[in-house]
């Protein structure tokens, strides 16, 4: 199997994002976005996916979190796609149900290359800490 690592950088007028992933890691995370809740969620991806993730993000957080979150997502996705490479030796898709304290999370991943996201979450408040979750 080839070395399944990749690094990507994205720079816009609003952000500077540096991401490195190792798909065959141990689940370590070094994440600095300025958004504690977002960092916690990315840490969970690393820990439970056993993916080593390094993310350094600077964004216009004085305006809001939108650009930082969006550009981290784009850059992280590009790094994952590069690290997966020709997809040899992996299943095309998978799913999991994860019981949490007061919720049941369902995650489905498809490495077909077609973009898509369905996000159906009802929040009881507009923010988690300082992180805006309302649409």
């Amino acid at each position: 199997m080839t070395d399944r690592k990749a690094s990507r950088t994205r720079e816009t007028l609003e952000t500077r994002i540096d991401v490195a992933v190792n798909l065959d890691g141990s689940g370590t995370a070094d994440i600095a976005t300025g958004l504690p809740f977002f960092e916690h969620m990315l840490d969970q991806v690393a820990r439970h996916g056993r993916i080593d993730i390094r993310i350094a993000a600077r964004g216009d957080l004085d305006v809001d979190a939108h650009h930082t979150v969006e550009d981290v997502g784009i850059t992280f996705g590009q790094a994952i796609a590069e690290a997966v490479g020709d997809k040899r030796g992996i299943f095309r898709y998978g799913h999991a149900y994860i019981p949490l304290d007061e919720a049941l999370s369902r995650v489905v991943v498809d490495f077909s290359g077609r973009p898509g996201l369905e996000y159906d979450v009802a929040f009881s408040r507009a923010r988690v800490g300082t992180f805006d979750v309302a649409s």
Side-chain angles (χ1 to χ4, degrees), residues 31-45:
I31 300 169
T33 67
L35 300 164
F37 177 69
F38 188 43
E39 291 172 8
H40 168 71
M41 298 308 288
L42 290 166
D43 177 77
Q44 297 305 294
V45 172

Side-chain angles (χ1 to χ4, degrees), residues 8 10 16-20 30-33 54-58 72:
R8 296 288 264 191
R10 177 180 175 86
R16 162 78 189 207
I17 313 296
D18 294 295
V19 173
D30 178 11
I31 300 169
T33 67
R54 184 188 50 75
I55 298 173
R58 289 190 325 268
V72 165

Side-chain angles (χ1 to χ4, degrees), residues 47-101:
R47 180 183 318 241
H48 297 292
R50 295 187 186 118
I51 301 169
D52 293 345
I53 300 172
R54 184 188 50 75
I55 298 173
R58 289 190 325 268
D60 57 353
L61 298 180
D62 55 318
V63 175
D64 66 18
H66 170 85
H67 293 125
T68 300
V69 172
E70 180 177 54
D71 289 348
V72 165
I74 290 167
T75 312
F76 183 53
Q78 290 171 338
I80 293 287
E82 183 180 328
V84 167
D86 66 5
K87 305 174 192 171
R88 186 171 297 145
I90 66 169
F91 291 102
R92 179 183 145 183
Y93 51 85
H95 72 280
Y97 287 86
I98 300 100
L100 305 170
D101 290 343

Side-chain angles (χ1 to χ4, degrees), residues 1-6 22-25 81-90:
M1 185 175 295
T2 62
D3 198 24
R4 300 188 312 164
K5 298 178 183 177
N22 176 1
L23 300 183
D24 301 306
E82 183 180 328
V84 167
D86 66 5
K87 305 174 192 171
R88 186 171 297 145
I90 66 169

Side-chain angles (χ1 to χ4, degrees), residues 102-103 119-125 133:
E102 297 175 4
Y119 182 76
D120 183 18
V121 178
F123 288 96
S124 60
R125 57 184 188 242
V133 294

